[in-house]
Amino acid sequence: MENKFYIRRAAYYETDRMGIVHHSNHIRYFEEARIDFMHKIGCDVLDLEEQGVLIPNVDAYAKYLKPVRFYDDVYIEVKLVVFNGSRMEYDYTMRFCDNDEIASTGHTTHCFVNSDFKPMSIKRTFPDFYQRLKDNMSK
């Protein structure tokens, strides 16, 4: 798989009484994939937090197409689709590794705030992070 994909195996504790991964875990998988994507492009979330930049999630959406079960391997494609320095939005597509079928799709919206939770633009304060994100926006 290309570097832009995040691979994940569904754990037993993530399943519900029906034996499928609970719907809330899809949002968690998307978050893991987004953190991984940012790390791979040189915008490590921990580095940003240590410099006083927080990235709250302000919106999350998932559409469930096929159930993911215990021990299924899935991969998640992450696309940065909107970015302006103060807000960013991601699209996600989760597929099964064995047959490439789509399990779910999703979307999240995030903003940047300082340690006092005041909105900020990273364009002025962290131009290197800004440029890395801008350069990795989906066309």
Side-chain angles (χ1 to χ4, degrees):
M1 302 264 160
E2 287 182 44
N3 200 25
K4 67 180 177 175
F5 298 121
Y6 176 73
I7 299 172
R8 178 75 154 69
R9 175 167 284 161
Y12 183 78
Y13 71 88
E14 296 169 324
T15 62
D16 60 19
R17 189 171 176 163
M18 295 178 286
I20 61 175
V21 170
H22 190 268
H23 65 275
S24 64
N25 287 314
H26 287 248
I27 299 295
R28 289 183 177 109
Y29 290 5
F30 296 160
E31 179 178 51
E32 290 175 15
R34 177 179 50 81
I35 300 290
D36 181 67
F37 169 82
M38 291 183 69
H39 175 76
K40 286 175 180 172
I41 66 168
C43 291
D44 191 81
V45 172
L46 186 56
D47 289 345
L48 283 165
E49 287 181 355
E50 287 173 351
Q51 295 182 54
V53 179
L54 303 174
I55 310 170
N57 187 334
V58 297
D59 182 53
Y61 168 82
K63 181 175 182 177
Y64 311 99
L65 302 166
K66 298 264 184 190
V68 177
R69 300 180 188 282
F70 168 58
Y71 226 66
D72 280 346
D73 289 320
V74 294
Y75 69 94
I76 302 163
E77 182 178 15
V78 178
K79 292 182 179 177
L80 177 59
V81 294
V82 173
F83 175 70
N84 65 10
S86 59
R87 190 181 104 218
M88 61 184 175
E89 297 182 26
Y90 288 89
D91 284 342
Y92 308 88
T93 303
M94 185 182 339
R95 296 176 182 270
F96 293 95
C97 290
D98 62 350
N99 62 18
D100 222 30
E101 285 187 277
I102 297 175
S104 64
T105 60
H107 183 86
T108 59
T109 304
H110 310 266
C111 65
F112 296 93
V113 298
N114 64 22
S115 57
D116 293 326
F117 289 91
K118 295 200 188 307
M120 65 180 295
S121 172
I122 66 167
K123 184 175 185 176
R124 293 180 297 259
T125 50
F126 299 97
D128 52 333
F129 287 109
Y130 172 85
Q131 196 57 54
R132 284 186 210 128
L133 286 162
K134 197 75 169 163
D135 291 345
N136 284 279
M137 230 172 86
S138 291
K139 313 276 187 260

